[in-house]
Amino acid sequence: MPEEGVPLTPRADLLTTEEILTLARLFVKEGVDKIRLTGGEPLIRPDVVDIVARLHQLEGLRTVGITTNGISLARLLPPLQKAGLSAINISLDTLVPAKFEFIVRRKGFHKVMEGIHKAIELGYSPVKVNCVVMRGLNEEELLDFVALTEGLPLDVRFIEYMPFDGNKWNFKKMVSYKEMLDTIQQHWPELEKLPEEESSTAKAFKIPGFRGRVSFITSMSEHFCGTCNRLRITADGNLKVCLFGNSEVSLRDHLRAGASEEEVLSIIGAAVGRKKRQHAELFLMLQDSPPAILNVLRGSLCAQGLRHRVSSSSQRVTLRKGCRVPQTPLLTQRWLGSGFPQRHFSSHPDSDANPKCLSPEPRAPATPSGPLPTSDQLTHVDTEGRAAMVDVGSKPDTERVAVASAVVFLGPVAFKLVQQNQLKKGDALVVAQLAGIQAAKLTSQLIPLCHHVALSHVQVRLELDSTRHAVVIQASCRARGPTGVEMEALTSAAVAALTLYDMCKAVSRDIVLGEIKLDSKTGGQRGDFHRT
């Protein structure tokens, strides 16, 4: 729970019981065989038992599940079981009561444990326990959680820490599946892998002789997008085809507007047809700039900067179909309206003081801002003309900053698709921005004689230039060390430009990459440089 809490959705915006059941009937009719009520916290909804009972009556629905924080579970589970609840997931990130209170911002650890034991007592097997593992918070409890499975029929599911609004995500807090597995195998080398179920999101393991098992949900390090068959409906009625996607379609609004069953199914099919191929590796690119990841998740881009919609729904319905959902033609109608404002993107959470990411004024030729001594010979060759890396061991560490830019001339067709975010490959600006950040960090692996530089900051900004049907890219890099970061900035801008080409090449091959140049550099013995 964020320290400041979350804003609650007005009750009038939430799906009514009848709306939930209407949508559930539609999905089950189309082949969905599992529905899970999740959240937020679904057990705070007063009609939750009635919803479970009526879902259970739907012909063709095999499983009705729930994901809960467990605090009210012991009290509500008997009537829920009677209503037809068949599967339980309980969120529990620590076995230390004081730490539990810090994480969830309330007391209740013993109530959660009581709920787990009540579920076992009532015959649920396995009872799934979801544990999000965070470095510096609970990774030292891995073995304690695994030990629970020795005497209890639990499926402890370790989940890689993922970025969502409000959780102040940082790459360095993420403990990967491989690292968790290695920690457990050092203590229990006999740990054995279990066969994976079709469309499962978890990798399951078991220690011989233990009643329960452990699983890993590897959303970040080894995504399972290719076999994902989940759809999600938020408590306020928005359909999400991907948990990480920022696009939502309001089914509630169409129901309340009197849409027919066929119209709603058409809308759902079109949304599923736009489901992206994958998501996870994008997040791993930003370990040095966590705020950028949150900005990626926060929604559509507009000329006023990053517009974001916080999902504050207290309950979410997850629907799973027994087989992969079919691909359908792209929806021609855009849910964000018919107007398409100029789009900008920045990896840095800019203030509102400068909503335009890049200055639109034309650039004049370069002029040095001070003494800029240049060498009369190439520095990356030795006396015999062979390639050689410069020895920077004797140079002092100074603060180095460099800014580079590039322009991608898309042409009118590709430009319009990028502007309207209608490329089949996805959001070209977001992908290019992420590629630019990653490229800056990998420069020494791409350019043979570049030194490895520990960058302290990378920022990539993009702006659509409608007069030239172009995207203007600006990349800036900062580090403290004995060598400059010009190559990192130039590589960042160039790779961002190449990525835009790759995203748009199916639409047009008449795309030109140009004006790749160093705009400025500061720090180092050769003085500062500014292209003014």
Side-chain angles (χ1 to χ4, degrees), residues 8-20:
L8 299 179
T9 302
R11 183 175 296 275
D13 293 345
L14 300 177
L15 290 174
T16 65
T17 305
E18 292 303 322
E19 286 170 338
I20 290 173

Side-chain angles (χ1 to χ4, degrees), residues 27 237 239 241 248-255 259-274 328-331 333 335:
F27 280 100
L239 173 65
V241 297
E248 298 180 356
V249 176
S250 178
L251 301 182
R252 177 203 64 196
D253 290 351
H254 286 279
L255 286 177
S260 67
E261 178 178 314
E262 291 74 19
E263 289 172 331
V264 175
L265 287 175
S266 176
I267 292 164
I268 293 169
V272 173
R274 296 194 304 274
T328 57
L330 291 177
L331 188 63
Q333 176 184 3
W335 296 105

Side-chain angles (χ1 to χ4, degrees), residues 167-184:
N167 72 355
K168 301 178 182 178
W169 190 87
N170 187 310
F171 175 86
K172 295 176 182 177
K173 292 182 182 179
M174 194 195 88
V175 183
S176 72
Y177 150 61
K178 295 293 187 184
E179 183 178 345
M180 290 188 276
L181 184 61
D182 181 64
T183 298
I184 296 170

Side-chain angles (χ1 to χ4, degrees), residues 248-530:
E248 298 180 356
V249 176
S250 178
L251 301 182
R252 177 203 64 196
D253 290 351
H254 286 279
L255 286 177
R256 293 181 182 179
S260 67
E261 178 178 314
E262 291 74 19
E263 289 172 331
V264 175
L265 287 175
S266 176
I267 292 164
I268 293 169
V272 173
R274 296 194 304 274
K275 185 174 173 68
K276 296 294 188 295
R277 188 173 180 178
Q278 62 188 60
H279 65 76
E281 66 255 32
L282 296 181
F283 302 120
L284 295 179
M285 295 179 178
L286 290 173
Q287 62 187 45
D288 294 325
S289 186
I293 298 169
L294 296 181
N295 291 338
V296 170
L297 292 171
R298 283 175 177 165
S300 302
L301 309 175
C302 59
Q304 285 70 40
L306 288 173
R307 178 182 65 194
H308 101 263
R309 175 187 180 281
V310 178
S311 176
S312 57
S313 305
S314 64
Q315 181 179 357
R316 179 169 293 172
V317 183
T318 301
L319 306 149
R320 189 174 77 181
K321 188 165 182 176
C323 57
R324 290 197 191 182
V325 288
Q327 294 297 304
T328 57
L330 291 177
L331 188 63
T332 55
Q333 176 184 3
R334 283 190 54 85
W335 296 105
L336 296 179
S338 58
F340 300 101
Q342 188 173 12
R343 301 172 65 240
H344 303 272
F345 189 79
S346 173
S347 65
H348 186 273
D350 282 336
S351 68
D352 294 333
N354 182 21
K356 299 272 186 171
C357 292
L358 299 177
S359 172
E361 288 80 11
R363 300 182 182 276
T367 58
S369 62
L372 187 64
T374 57
S375 174
D376 59 359
Q377 61 182 8
L378 297 175
T379 57
H380 285 77
V381 294
D382 61 18
T383 56
E384 297 180 4
R386 294 173 301 190
M389 180 177 280
V390 176
D391 185 357
V392 297
S394 60
K395 291 185 177 182
D397 286 352
T398 58
E399 189 73 15
R400 311 291 189 115
V401 179
V403 179
S405 61
V407 180
V408 181
F409 299 92
L410 295 172
V413 176
F415 179 84
K416 184 178 180 181
L417 291 173
V418 171
Q419 183 184 48
Q420 298 177 357
N421 192 17
Q422 288 188 328
L423 288 172
K424 290 185 178 181
K425 282 190 173 183
D427 194 324
L429 299 184
V430 172
V431 177
Q433 183 258 345
L434 294 170
I437 292 174
Q438 181 75 339
K441 298 189 291 183
L442 296 176
T443 298
S444 63
Q445 299 179 38
L446 300 171
I447 311 297
L449 300 183
C450 278
H451 294 85
H452 174 70
V453 176
L455 295 169
S456 58
H457 181 67
V458 181
Q459 179 178 335
V460 179
R461 303 189 294 183
L462 298 97
E463 178 182 334
L464 292 179
D465 182 346
S466 58
T467 60
R468 296 188 291 173
H469 296 126
V471 178
V472 181
I473 302 166
Q474 187 182 71
S476 64
C477 297
R478 180 186 300 122
R480 183 171 183 81
T483 187
V485 290
E486 301 98 308
M487 289 306 302
E488 282 70 20
L490 284 164
T491 302
S492 177
V495 170
L498 287 168
T499 302
L500 274 174
Y501 180 92
D502 179 63
M503 295 289 289
C504 301
K505 66 185 180 184
V507 178
S508 171
R509 296 298 173 92
D510 189 26
I511 301 173
V512 177
L513 279 58
E515 301 182 25
I516 300 174
K517 59 185 180 293
L518 179 69
D519 292 328
S520 66
K521 66 170 287 289
T522 58
Q525 296 176 344
R526 297 185 182 277
D528 296 348
F529 166 81
H530 295 279

Side-chain angles (χ1 to χ4, degrees), residues 105-127:
R105 311 292 178 187
R106 62 175 296 177
K107 297 181 183 297
F109 171 78
H110 297 293
K111 289 184 177 180
V112 177
M113 296 305 296
E114 182 185 355
I116 291 174
H117 287 285
K118 173 62 73 172
I120 295 171
E121 175 190 325
L122 292 179
Y124 287 94
S125 182
V127 176

